[in-house]
Amino acid sequence: MADRTLGPPLLPSFNLPPQALPDAPALPRPNLDLPRAELPTFKPMLVPSGALRGPTGKEEEEEDDEPTAAEVQRVNIPFTDITVPIPQEEIMVTAATTAMISVVATLTATSLFKHCVKVFKPLIMQLAKRIQKKLNGSNGKAEEPSG
């Protein structure tokens, strides 16, 4: 055999004539104004002071919605000048109990659902195969169920 040196493969190609593209048309630069919005304004209302009394003849009920300074505990965050209020113990216990119960209920329901799927899936598949077999048998077709 003769000694041949193989170079890169030659691919079919052709040369296109040079193209002359026209210059881009000169367009005016768009002049866009900044967007403007009208902000809503309102006339301030005067709020009556707590010294005003209600109509006579009715008993006034005193409601103390705001906790007093003794009821609110505050904690100073170390190395900062920040003071954080902490809710009362009853509120914290209620929130923690509610959170715990919701997490336990969710985990229990998820586990129960997964177990039910594992138990009922073979039964439903078997029932589906029997129904399909009856339907195919009554039509006179001998088709195999897919799956």
Side-chain angles (χ1 to χ4, degrees), residues 66-125:
E66 296 184 20
T68 60
E71 293 176 1
V72 177
Q73 298 176 359
R74 298 193 176 271
V75 173
N76 293 328
I77 298 178
F79 308 112
T80 63
D81 295 334
I82 300 174
T83 303
V84 179
I86 296 181
Q88 296 174 352
E89 291 83 14
E90 295 87 11
I91 296 172
M92 291 298 291
V93 168
T94 303
T97 304
T98 305
M100 183 189 68
I101 289 173
S102 66
V103 168
V104 168
T106 303
L107 291 176
T108 303
T110 303
S111 174
L112 183 64
F113 180 73
K114 285 183 179 180
H115 183 69
C116 288
V117 166
K118 188 166 78 173
V119 168
F120 288 121
K121 187 175 181 180
L123 296 175
I124 293 173
M125 294 301 292

Side-chain angles (χ1 to χ4, degrees), residues 17-46:
Q19 300 292 322
L21 296 176
D23 291 335
L27 296 175
R29 185 171 184 162
N31 186 9
L32 299 176
D33 294 332
L34 292 176
R36 295 181 184 178
E38 291 184 23
L39 297 176
T41 59
F42 61 94
K43 190 175 182 179
M45 270 182 16
L46 295 177

